[in-house]
Amino acid sequence: MEVGGALNATMTGPSGAPVLVFVHGFGCGQQMWRLVAPAFAQDFRVILLDLPGSAGSDPSTYDAERHSTLEGYADDILQVLRELAVDDVTFVGHSVASMMGVLAHLKEPSLVTRLVLVSPSARYVDDGDYRGGFSQADVDDLLAMMERNQLGWQGALSGMVAGESHVAARAELDDSFCRTRPDVALHFATVTFTGDNRADLPRVAAPTLILQVRDDLIAPISAGEYVHEQIAGSRLQIIETRGHAPHLTDPDAVVSAMRDFMPVGAA
Amino acid sequence: MSRTPASEVDTFESAPCGYVVVDQRGVIARANAEFLRLLGSDADEVVGVRTFSSLVSPGGQVLLETHVRPILDHAGVVRELALELVRSDGGRVPVLMNARLVDGPARTVLVVLVETRDRHRYEDYLLAAKAAAERAGQESAVMAETLQQTLIPPRPPVVPHLEIGAAYRPAGSGHEVGGDFYDVFQVAPDAWEVVLGDVSGKGINAAVVTSFVRHTVRSEAIAHPDPADLLHALDVAMREHGTEHHCTLAVVRLDRGASGWTLALSLAGHPPALVRRPDGQVVELGVPGTPAGLVTDPAFCTVHHQLGDDLVTLFTDGVTEARAPTGELFGDDRLVELLAGGAGDPHVTAAQVVAEALSWQAENASDDIAVVSFAAASG
């Protein structure tokens, strides 16, 4: 099976139009982009996908070893782009996927040529003068909380792990779009919240737009400003909303900032 | 005693659970008595002042942002989320939360919380038990692997003038000790013993018997140069041991003389050895006999053979009884064909037979597979 199919990837839009790939972060799947992606459907080719182990991706796509770093995720996304035979791609990554975008660009600078980093953070845990917003105790608390919240849904999802049709198993869960295999969710959270991509930022050579929410508990302004300072020539735009997902809370502002930043579409 | 009529009860204020209304900024707009009791706070410290998110632990705040909020937007309701409220004195209260987004432009969210201290303790116990079970599983896998290595030599010893190839693959995931084993050891300056066997059953009890069989064969081999005699000695020892497991074996004694290797073979209820002649013809060698440790009147018979340029292959039924996903057996004929078509190299042959038997059952071995092949070293 091609990686793209297994990751529930779709590409829509006029042939030859510039390409946008939207990648969701920790928690939920491609549905997170439902208020933003359609705004580009007329004049861009829009690629949506679910990360390995998340939402509608095939459970077999997740490999505990490959996905113990963000590099493994970046490799999978690049593989999808190669299968779709696209080039000159604008990578729109939310939260932890913003760092996947950075890594994908560094690996294949001619394939991923622009970055839109939505609520990015290069490191969630404070370190010396660096303010990621979390202490190690906070991260431990999160992992303990996630483990506790697995109790209820382990049974419902065990069939997926065993290889039963994951579509059928997921149908039982009305909010399946936000479900991740419990073991994967815990591992993904660990990889996300213990990662450190600060050293990667100065090497970014792509035009970069950073969308920072004014009031975000998970990626505070100090985190967005750090990314902005470290990526030469990047543009930082503050979205006047609250929460970690401006594409849900203020999609119009996200669309308009992206429109300003990107080349004109096909229409 | 006067009671308030049911219709006049303030169901929000008196609800037997923490109950709050959260406005579109995330700020607590209303909170009932039970919620304030859980928090240990007064209404004026909370209502209109604090966001709901700021009242839960940091991990809970991440879950609210990354999971609850998107699910509310999408499905309108979230059920049974375990969180911890942080009290004004810094203490924590484990709760289960349900939340519902109320229709309308104001994006109001209703939240109810039930304290779960006792369940929390029980869950802690369950989580600890789960972690312990996972550790035990890992330890037992490591133990199985270690034990297996004591039953199967990592590679056969180097025997002068003889090439010996061996391959082994335990059934399933490898987390259990299998019952197949093989051994190669010296019994005299110019004599060696090659043994391949299959103990009935699996797991630790079978492994104990495997170890017993292997050591009995080793210790009795010098006193019993004839393989059939050796099997009789083993059979007696096994029945005295009182095990419920029995064992099938092929025992080969190889003596090197002026005219090369001479082979004496006895079988205990085991598939015959397959002898591949230099012209590619494959013949069976051995008289089946009875499994060791099974019957009161065992019968073992030794046959002799001049090795010459032949390739001899011993195998367990994990090869011939391998079943394809369609149900079809690998079978004797397929094995004979494989040997006939092979190049006659013992190392290649052993590895190839195991690989073919595995691929026949789609890499999912239902039984252990052990193969030992040997031939006189050229030159």
Side-chain angles (χ1 to χ4, degrees):
Chain A
M1 178 157 41
E2 288 192 332
V3 175
L7 296 184
N8 207 11
T10 56
M11 178 164 75
T12 51
S15 64
V19 179
L20 275 168
V21 59
F22 287 94
V23 184
H24 67 87
F26 166 68
C28 308
Q30 59 181 271
Q31 288 259 9
M32 290 289 281
W33 299 106
R34 69 188 181 280
L35 304 180
V36 165
F40 297 93
Q42 297 306 311
D43 51 345
F44 284 82
R45 278 179 291 169
V46 171
I47 300 173
L48 288 161
L49 55 84
D50 292 324
L51 287 173
S54 291
S57 66
D58 190 291
S60 68
T61 53
Y62 189 78
D63 179 294
E65 198 176 317
R66 186 166 76 248
H67 298 118
S68 62
T69 66
L70 297 184
E71 305 255 341
Y73 288 98
D75 287 338
D76 288 346
I77 297 162
L78 286 170
Q79 183 59 32
V80 171
L81 298 180
R82 282 190 290 264
E83 283 171 9
L84 292 170
V86 293
D87 58 5
D88 203 6
V89 173
T90 300
F91 190 118
V92 189
H94 173 226
S95 190
V96 68
S98 65
M99 292 303 125
M100 296 175 194
V102 165
L103 293 171
H105 160 68
L106 293 178
K107 280 165 181 275
E108 299 222 14
S110 61
L111 178 53
V112 176
T113 54
R114 270 163 200 277
L115 297 174
V116 177
L117 311 180
V118 183
S119 311
S121 177
R123 177 184 162 109
Y124 292 90
V125 177
D126 298 340
D127 180 33
D129 290 339
Y130 174 80
R131 291 266 78 83
F134 288 79
S135 69
Q136 187 56 48
D138 296 341
V139 172
D140 294 344
D141 184 58
L142 168 66
L143 299 180
M145 204 63 68
M146 292 191 65
E147 191 157 26
R148 192 171 297 283
N149 277 295
Q150 288 177 19
L151 285 171
W153 27 298
Q154 219 146 24
L157 293 187
S158 59
M160 289 168 56
V161 181
E164 181 193 316
S165 158
H166 64 288
V167 177
R170 273 178 36 237
E172 298 169 13
L173 305 161
D174 52 358
D175 47 9
S176 69
F177 88 101
C178 206
R179 292 293 189 182
T180 305
R181 255 169 62 185
D183 53 334
V184 174
L186 195 58
H187 194 208
F188 191 17
T190 309
V191 172
T192 298
F193 287 96
T194 59
D196 187 347
N197 292 90
R198 287 177 297 174
D200 297 313
L201 300 180
R203 294 163 53 216
V204 170
T208 299
L209 171 66
I210 297 155
L211 297 181
Q212 172 68 48
V213 172
R214 172 71 67 192
D215 180 15
D216 181 355
L217 269 165
I218 294 179
I221 282 214
S222 58
E225 282 173 346
Y226 181 87
V227 175
H228 172 51
E229 285 158 17
Q230 296 292 314
I231 299 182
S234 61
R235 188 193 297 183
L236 174 68
Q237 185 144 350
I238 306 288
I239 309 270
E240 298 294 341
T241 178
R242 56 172 291 282
H244 188 51
H247 42 322
L248 290 182
T249 52
D250 197 351
D252 294 344
V254 170
V255 169
S256 125
M258 285 177 61
R259 285 270 176 205
D260 282 350
F261 168 72
M262 283 188 308
V264 177
Chain B
M1 183 175 147
S2 70
R3 291 191 180 179
T4 313
S7 58
E8 290 174 23
V9 170
D10 181 343
T11 52
F12 179 83
E13 185 57 27
S14 310
C17 59
Y19 198 165
V20 287
V21 179
V22 181
D23 73 16
Q24 60 184 348
R25 299 167 302 155
V27 174
I28 307 257
R30 280 183 81 188
N32 76 346
E34 172 70 0
F35 183 76
L36 295 170
R37 184 192 70 78
L38 290 174
L39 272 184
S41 300
D42 293 329
D44 58 1
E45 296 170 308
V46 173
V47 178
V49 184
R50 300 288 295 269
T51 61
F52 178 70
S53 182
S54 72
L55 297 171
V56 307
S57 73
Q61 293 178 1
V62 173
L63 288 186
L64 290 178
E65 281 296 332
T66 57
H67 288 75
V68 173
R69 205 185 161 82
I71 293 174
L72 279 179
D73 274 356
H74 183 82
V77 60
V78 167
R79 296 188 180 91
E80 270 193 74
L81 187 80
L83 290 175
E84 288 187 351
L85 291 178
V86 180
R87 290 170 55 91
S88 52
D89 61 10
R92 295 210 182 172
V93 185
V95 292
L96 272 187
M97 183 197 86
N98 280 9
R100 179 182 293 283
L101 183 65
V102 181
D103 285 340
R107 210 189 173 283
T108 300
V109 178
L110 303 183
V111 179
V112 295
L113 301 152
V114 177
E115 189 176 7
T116 55
R117 280 185 202 275
D118 284 347
R119 278 172 190 278
H120 197 82
R121 272 192 289 274
Y122 178 57
E123 284 173 10
D124 282 342
Y125 166 76
L126 284 183
L127 286 170
K130 175 170 156 266
E134 281 167 3
R135 267 197 310 279
Q138 280 161 5
E139 278 166 18
S140 110
V142 169
M143 204 182 286
E145 199 178 316
T146 311
L147 192 51
Q148 194 82 66
Q149 281 164 1
T150 70
L151 304 177
I152 299 283
R155 62 179 68 85
V158 175
V159 179
H161 311 291
L162 195 69
E163 288 290 336
I164 308 180
Y168 172 78
R169 158 76 194 230
S173 59
H175 287 195
E176 237 185 337
V177 197
D180 284 11
F181 70 99
Y182 63 82
D183 202 1
V184 179
F185 55 95
Q186 192 164 21
V187 286
D190 274 324
W192 292 75
E193 207 91 19
V194 178
V195 182
L196 179 131
D198 181 356
V199 171
S200 64
K202 286 197 193 316
I204 196 74
N205 291 329
V208 168
V209 175
T210 305
S211 186
F212 176 78
V213 168
R214 190 164 170 232
H215 288 99
T216 305
V217 167
R218 275 201 172 219
S219 60
E220 299 286 343
I222 293 175
H224 301 90
D226 182 275
D229 290 347
L230 175 54
L231 285 173
H232 275 292
L234 171 68
D235 181 73
V236 169
M238 280 183 81
R239 281 187 286 131
E240 279 175 356
H241 184 267
T243 173
E244 288 174 5
H245 298 264
H246 59 272
C247 181
T248 74
L249 295 94
V251 174
V252 177
R253 182 182 164 111
L254 285 154
D255 283 277
R256 183 169 162 81
S259 56
W261 292 101
T262 310
L263 175 163
L265 163 76
S266 187
L267 301 173
H270 199 83
L274 292 175
V275 177
R276 180 192 187 275
R277 302 212 166 111
D279 63 3
Q281 195 191 350
V282 177
V283 295
E284 294 184 349
L285 184 69
V287 176
T290 56
L294 186 64
V295 295
T296 48
D297 53 342
F300 307 114
C301 173
T302 297
V303 298
H304 298 271
H305 180 76
Q306 194 70 32
L307 183 58
D309 293 325
D310 294 346
L311 169 79
V312 177
T313 298
L314 310 176
F315 60 94
T316 55
D317 58 10
V319 175
T320 46
E321 292 178 12
R323 239 175 235 287
T326 59
E328 192 183 352
L329 282 175
F330 188 78
D332 296 331
D333 293 350
R334 220 169 251 108
L335 176 58
V336 166
E337 220 169 277
L338 180 66
L339 292 174
D345 177 271
H347 305 281
V348 174
T349 301
Q352 199 178 15
V353 170
V354 170
E356 289 288 324
L358 255 183
S359 106
W360 181 257
Q361 47 196 332
E363 308 298 324
N364 184 15
S366 62
D367 193 4
D368 305 336
I369 306 170
V371 178
V372 175
S373 287
F374 56 88
S378 51

